[in-house]
Amino acid sequence: MEGQLNRVDVTVLPAGWRRLDSEIAGNWSPALSPDGRHMAYVSDRGGVPAVWVQPVGSELAFRVDTGPEPVSTVCWSSGGGWLACQIAPGGAPRHEVWLVRPDGSDLHQVAGFGADTAENMRWLPGRPVLALTENLTTAVLIDVTAGERTVVTAGDLVSLLDVDPAGRFALLRYGPRGARQIVLRDLTGGTEKPVTRGERAVFSPGGGCVYALSQDGEFPVLLRIAGDAVEVLTQSPTSPASTAGGGSGEVEDFAVTADGRTAALLWNVRGGESEIALIDLDHDGDRAPAVLGPLPGLVAADMTWSFDGSTLGFSVQGPGQPNGVWVWQRGTGEIRAVSAEPASPVAIRPVLRSFPAHDGLTLTGWLFTPRTPGPHPTVVWLHGGPEAQERPGHGPLFQSLADRGIAVFAANVRGSSGFGRSFVDADNGALRYAAIEDVRTCVEYLRGAGIADRVGVMGRSYGGYLTLAALTWFPDLFDVGVDICGMSNFATFYEHTEPWIASAAVSKYGHPVHDAELLRELSPIHRIDRLRAPLLVVHGANDSNVPVIEATQVVDALAARNHPHRYLLFPGEGHELLHRTARADFLRETLDWLETHLTK
């Protein structure tokens, strides 16, 4: 690694390094140096997410100073000379991209200026060129040596995925949520050719073929495409290790080495647990995947190879185990921690439950049960997205509630990912009524199974919307609610959110003009007079994804009725609470609110 690590903050991380407050620090976004000997990653151990660099095998970590704003992602260039850092000013969804040397020198901004947002960073292998997208309208290449910026193309809802080594072709992704298409663009002639429906694709190192995670079918598969020849490299929904146990899963991500010889596959199995497997891309015929494991936690993400292919980095978390960064080393076959805490020995491990919805569709969720006999006061948790999945990861709120005798059911209602394309699309547009009905089904299941007595409902982002919808559609079903940055009125959401977020959301929620009547009927603000349960409303003041007006109009309506409620507004935070102090305050206040209304 070039240069000397000489930044201000140096921390020795002893074995068993523990929390500083009620929110344990996490580490994510691993990025390996070309030779795999050092790792850059994002950690909030200092209170704010920042970039740290650490030698693999050492406990000495160095903070790379990128300023006071939270960092969300870091990427290490294949030449080793640069770190690209995605920074969230004010904690909001808008991102800037800054470059800095691994020793902390030469910090400067390259994208996301002014009101623009930059995302989807990718260093082109073997080249000092950074690919990214601004505003989901402009695909950009930045040559960091020449200091040149090239616009590859511009258009609505476009994202740049990769450029071939010869600079003749680009892989672009077009379209709104749930309906994205990958295309191959000839950069000389400007013509485009469809590749597949999906989110991710890269060129092989020589540029002779394309690897794409296709979502054309019910479950995603990894394709290798060379001209008109298409080869399926995975067979979802069966994962390598779960087959013997009768389980199933789907491949959710992949990472190809710079020499093109190996692909790492990230599998989502058994309702949300993770497996990582390697496949040999060099040889035709049987490519029996080699499963890495056992993994040091239940849920993995953020796979990344060192440029020489010697080391695979990834993040892992689990119940009572915050995100940590790990490596698998090819030479030894060993999985070792770079910066990670062990799982708490007293953490409650959730159990996956499944049951039929009102229309026969199978619903699932992770149940965190207190150690005392039931039935228990229970909270139904609804995740954001909705194209996301509740998985058995680190959940300090869930663990804290269970410690206090309150069960948590983290539901995957229709619209969630991880269960096939039809399930993801089952809440689009007017089908959203069925997703709201799924929340009632969850409560009926929990009470019928003898798990729950008093019941609360809470969620964030789309889960906050679904919380408000459930509370106003079924007002007598719940004893308390917590709405975290949820949409309350689709009309004001579309009016005030970022334009690229609004454009991408149409396929999921409906068009703000053409579907105005449907969106009005689905907006909880127009039923807020039916709400009966006390409500805690939580929002970040700088949120431009779900703007703060979505909270204030709910709070104003409840205040006008003198309805029991509380409003927690976090200054300096956006759509997520990025500062550990804010998350600690949220945890304390939410626990108090739920205990007050469910157990006292």
Side-chain angles (χ1 to χ4, degrees):
M1 187 176 64
E2 306 149 50
Q4 180 181 357
L5 295 170
N6 57 3
R7 302 316 298 158
V8 174
D9 297 321
V10 179
T11 302
V12 177
L13 304 179
W17 184 77
R18 300 306 297 170
R19 70 170 84 187
L20 299 177
D21 55 33
S22 57
E23 260 288 331
I24 305 174
N27 311 294
W28 64 94
S29 187
L32 289 162
S33 62
D35 59 6
R37 296 173 59 188
H38 292 79
M39 178 184 281
Y41 56 90
V42 179
S43 176
D44 59 2
R45 65 171 61 99
V48 181
V51 177
W52 292 73
V53 172
Q54 187 169 341
V56 174
S58 169
E59 294 173 349
L60 189 65
F62 302 84
R63 181 176 179 268
V64 178
D65 189 1
T66 58
E69 299 290 2
V71 180
S72 58
T73 308
V74 61
C75 299
W76 205 316
S77 68
S78 56
W82 292 101
L83 301 176
C85 307
Q86 186 172 281
I87 293 174
R94 189 180 76 81
H95 289 112
E96 300 171 352
V97 173
W98 291 67
L99 297 182
V100 64
R101 298 286 187 181
D103 67 358
S105 62
D106 202 6
L107 175 67
H108 61 285
Q109 186 178 356
V110 295
F113 296 96
D116 290 338
T117 187
E119 60 182 6
N120 199 28
M121 301 184 306
R122 170 175 165 78
W123 287 104
L124 301 186
R127 291 162 279 177
V129 178
L130 186 67
L132 53 84
T133 306
E134 289 183 325
N135 307 325
L136 286 183
T137 60
T138 310
V140 178
L141 291 177
I142 297 172
D143 187 320
V144 301
T145 300
E148 296 177 350
R149 173 188 169 101
T150 302
V151 174
V152 173
T153 190
D156 189 36
L157 296 179
V158 63
S159 188
L160 176 59
L161 301 180
D162 202 5
V163 176
D164 79 309
R168 294 180 52 208
F169 298 97
L171 288 166
L172 303 173
R173 187 185 70 205
Y174 288 104
R177 291 159 53 175
R180 287 175 174 149
Q181 296 286 336
I182 298 170
V183 303
L184 178 71
R185 180 180 178 86
D186 185 327
L187 296 180
T188 302
T191 58
E192 293 183 350
K193 175 183 176 181
V195 174
T196 187
R197 172 174 171 159
E199 298 279 340
R200 287 215 47 223
V202 297
F203 287 103
S204 64
C209 65
V210 169
Y211 294 100
L213 192 58
S214 172
Q215 295 175 334
D216 266 335
E218 181 66 18
F219 292 93
V221 295
L222 181 62
L223 304 179
R224 177 158 57 186
I225 304 165
D228 294 328
V230 179
E231 180 183 6
V232 179
L233 299 177
T234 64
Q235 290 289 346
S236 290
T238 302
S239 71
S242 63
T243 306
S248 65
E250 63 179 46
V251 61
E252 61 176 314
D253 199 7
F254 72 99
V256 178
T257 53
D259 62 8
R261 299 179 62 186
T262 308
L265 306 178
L266 180 63
W267 290 86
N268 179 342
V269 300
R270 296 179 293 274
E273 298 180 25
S274 294
E275 292 171 354
I276 296 178
L278 306 182
I279 59 171
D280 182 357
L281 299 175
D282 256 356
H283 303 97
D284 294 330
D286 183 22
R287 291 191 181 87
V291 178
L292 305 186
L295 292 179
L298 294 183
V299 181
D302 302 329
M303 296 189 307
T304 180
W305 287 102
S306 60
F307 185 70
D308 65 2
S310 66
T311 309
L312 176 70
F314 52 92
S315 63
V316 164
Q317 60 174 306
Q321 178 186 3
N323 245 328
V325 288
W326 298 72
V327 294
W328 171 82
Q329 294 178 308
R330 191 186 295 270
T332 63
E334 178 187 10
I335 294 177
R336 63 190 302 182
V338 177
S339 184
E341 288 197 34
S344 168
V346 298
I348 291 174
R349 185 162 174 151
V351 176
L352 186 66
R353 295 293 188 102
S354 62
F355 49 93
H358 65 281
D359 55 1
L361 191 67
T362 298
L363 305 179
T364 65
W366 292 92
L367 179 64
F368 295 76
T369 307
R371 294 180 176 87
T372 55
H376 303 95
T378 302
V379 173
V380 176
W381 167 267
L382 303 167
H383 64 69
E387 315 95 322
Q389 183 184 12
E390 197 58 51
R391 306 176 72 170
H394 177 54
L397 176 62
F398 301 169
Q399 295 290 332
S400 298
L401 285 169
D403 283 344
R404 288 161 171 77
I406 300 174
V408 178
F409 184 70
N412 282 308
V413 299
R414 70 192 68 205
S416 303
S417 60
F419 308 96
R421 178 173 162 185
S422 297
F423 196 84
V424 171
D425 292 343
D427 68 340
N428 290 353
L431 300 176
R432 194 151 316 281
Y433 293 106
I436 299 171
E437 185 67 31
D438 284 348
V439 183
R440 174 160 65 178
T441 301
C442 289
V443 177
E444 292 173 346
Y445 165 75
L446 292 167
R447 286 187 167 142
I451 295 166
D453 44 36
R454 292 173 64 81
V455 176
V457 61
M458 68 180 298
R460 69 168 304 275
S461 193
Y462 173 78
Y465 158 78
L466 207 53
T467 294
L468 293 173
L471 289 169
T472 53
W473 257 259
F474 316 118
D476 298 324
L477 201 59
F478 301 100
D479 298 287
V480 66
V482 181
D483 159 34
I484 309 164
C485 60
M487 301 96 75
S488 60
N489 185 341
F490 279 113
T492 52
F493 164 74
Y494 273 114
E495 181 181 356
H496 294 283
T497 190
E498 302 284 5
W500 58 88
I501 294 175
S503 295
V506 168
S507 60
K508 198 68 189 170
Y509 302 133
H511 193 279
V513 176
H514 306 316
D515 300 310
E517 287 303 314
L518 170 66
L519 293 174
R520 177 180 173 82
E521 173 65 23
L522 286 167
S523 296
I525 194 66
H526 300 301
R527 295 169 171 257
I528 203 70
D529 60 321
R530 302 187 67 214
L531 189 142
R532 299 289 179 268
L535 181 65
L536 174 64
V537 179
V538 182
H539 222 97
N542 296 338
D543 192 348
S544 58
N545 183 329
V546 177
V548 73
I549 189 175
E550 298 305 301
T552 56
Q553 59 190 313
V554 171
V555 171
D556 290 346
L558 297 182
R561 291 174 48 204
N562 199 27
H563 184 88
H565 71 281
R566 188 168 182 203
Y567 183 27
L568 289 180
L569 182 66
F570 286 91
E573 298 287 354
H575 196 54
E576 298 183 31
L577 301 180
L578 298 180
H579 297 75
R580 284 178 62 200
T581 54
R583 296 204 306 273
D585 290 344
F586 162 78
L587 182 61
R588 183 184 63 253
E589 297 292 342
T590 303
L591 289 172
D592 287 347
W593 181 260
L594 292 172
E595 278 194 292
T596 297
H597 295 286
L598 284 178
T599 66
K600 296 179 182 178

